[in-house]
Amino acid sequence: MKISMVSEHASPLAALGGVDAGGQNVHVAELSLALSRRGHDVTVYTRRDDPFLPDRVRTGPRLEVVHVAAGPARVVAKDGLLPYMGELAEGILADWGTRPPEIVHGHFWMSGLAALDAAGRSRTAGRPVEVVQTFHALGTVKQRHQGTDDTSPADRILLEAMVGRSARRVIATCTDEVFELKSMGVAGNRVSIAPCGVDLDLFTPNGPAEARGASHRIVSVGRLVPRKGMDLVIRALRELKDIGHDDVELVIVGGPGSSAGLDGDPEAQRLRTLARELGVADQVELRGQVQRGEMPALLRSADAVVCAPWYEPFGIVPLEAMGCGVPVIAAAVGGLVDTVVDGRTGVHVPPQDPQAIARAVAEVLADPEWARGLGRNGNRRVRARYSWSRIAADTEKAYQLALRSGSAAVEEFDGRGSARHLESTGGRAL
């Protein structure tokens, strides 16, 4: 099968290089590689954000990354990329030429716009391409939790729903997302589930563990933005101290650059100020970015990995922790409900509840044998369910369903902000 991936702001090369790679970068990189290993020819299209990037980078026998000129050749904030999706679609279509793929898979809603636009133009030229969409995050959920702090384009929710209804198939990353998609008008019979995966060769229980600076350590990993809940973990540290656990250090990973580079980051400063006010500053380390190859040793050094976001579309960190055999304390939200099994691979806590986080950490510290059992169960779970080869097989099934349903009527997005119902067999407006 010939497959095009579209990832407008998250280049898989960042994940392959191990620097500044978020969840979408990792997902696109690992999924594309796993699909290529299954014998598919995969091309990933991403926006050129540096004038010196090569046009094409081959990263495997059946896998390459193409940098498309769409907007200025510099880094642009994700929420400012919408005006350039037409150019991205044009670049993708030009690269397809007369030999388009069978499947174009959009990652994130703006990539979906470009994928639908390119596929629509190809179909008009008599060369049909089926569109599959993974959102990674939904505007409805973001708006619900962030309110006026949401910086998404004003039309995101409208356009996102149109992408969902227009794609031949939507791949949700967790069961919670399926319900959100249905509320957006996406028919349940056009939704598959294929979660994120984890590199089981890198994230293993066996290997070196970083030295601790205290008797116990908890680790929290994620972008330094309020919704990731790092402040909740700092507050939990204070709660632990109040009940006699003053020998626990917290390592927070994320943010721009190294620890020294966090001095100008507003969220890092907010977290440091909070730690000082709560009297736990000497127990909190903001590490900044950590190279991907160094993450396993850091995770293995922890008694528990704490994931406390307000909401989470999926969350790759729990999988990486479970791969390393470390218990996960996770807010019972979004994809974390699927990945972490309460009482078996970790502990679920209510969202935005530092007291509950503290109680869960205290339980783990009080019973090392139980904690080791959680870690072993977690490792078995990711090996059984979350290998990238398994995720690629699930994704391949979704592609096959999209191809088999190619004669069904869908709502097609025209790439210019309007939608109309079409019969894909005849192209006639209904």
Side-chain angles (χ1 to χ4, degrees), residues 151-163:
T151 58
S152 300
D155 292 334
R156 173 176 177 172
I157 292 176
L158 171 65
L159 294 174
E160 196 167 64
M162 292 166 68
V163 169

Side-chain angles (χ1 to χ4, degrees), residues 194-410:
C196 194
V198 64
D199 183 344
L200 295 175
D201 293 326
L202 179 61
F203 293 95
T204 69
N206 303 313
E210 188 178 284
R212 298 176 177 176
S215 300
H216 300 287
R217 171 183 281 187
I218 55 178
V219 171
S220 197
V221 182
R223 286 186 295 129
L224 292 191
V225 292
R227 74 172 183 86
K228 289 296 184 179
M230 302 300 184
D231 58 333
L232 300 171
V233 191
I234 293 174
R235 293 184 185 280
L237 199 62
R238 177 70 248 185
E239 297 283 338
L240 285 165
K241 194 169 187 175
D242 289 342
I243 60 175
H245 287 289
D246 56 0
D247 56 348
V248 182
E249 64 180 359
L250 166 62
V251 179
I252 295 175
V253 176
S258 64
S259 176
L262 297 177
D263 293 342
D265 184 84
E267 182 65 4
Q269 293 310 304
R270 184 178 78 91
L271 296 175
R272 285 172 173 166
T273 298
L274 177 64
R276 286 194 300 270
E277 291 174 348
L278 295 176
V280 294
D282 60 334
Q283 296 173 250
V284 178
E285 177 191 357
L286 270 68
R287 182 74 62 91
Q289 290 180 8
V290 170
Q291 294 280 346
R292 187 162 173 76
E294 298 172 1
M295 280 296 298
L298 173 61
L299 295 175
R300 292 186 200 112
S301 73
D303 293 282
V305 171
V306 181
C307 303
W310 304 349
Y311 64 96
E312 185 60 70
F314 184 77
I316 194 172
V317 174
L319 297 184
E320 294 174 346
M322 290 157 64
C324 291
V326 179
V328 179
I329 296 168
V333 295
L336 303 185
V337 177
D338 287 359
T339 54
V340 179
V341 182
D342 187 35
R344 291 287 298 166
T345 70
V347 180
H348 285 168
V349 295
Q352 302 191 53
D353 190 337
Q355 291 83 10
I357 296 170
R359 288 194 297 270
V361 173
E363 289 176 7
V364 168
L365 299 184
D367 193 341
E369 184 55 39
W370 177 62
R372 284 191 287 271
L374 295 178
R376 288 192 295 270
N377 291 338
N379 180 257
R380 284 194 287 266
R381 180 167 173 77
V382 294
R383 288 193 170 277
R385 181 65 188 90
Y386 295 104
S387 69
W388 278 112
S389 60
R390 168 72 182 268
I391 306 309
D394 290 346
T395 303
E396 185 182 274
K397 290 176 185 175
Y399 292 167
Q400 291 166 346
L401 287 170
L403 292 171
R404 285 204 294 268
S405 63
S407 61
V410 296

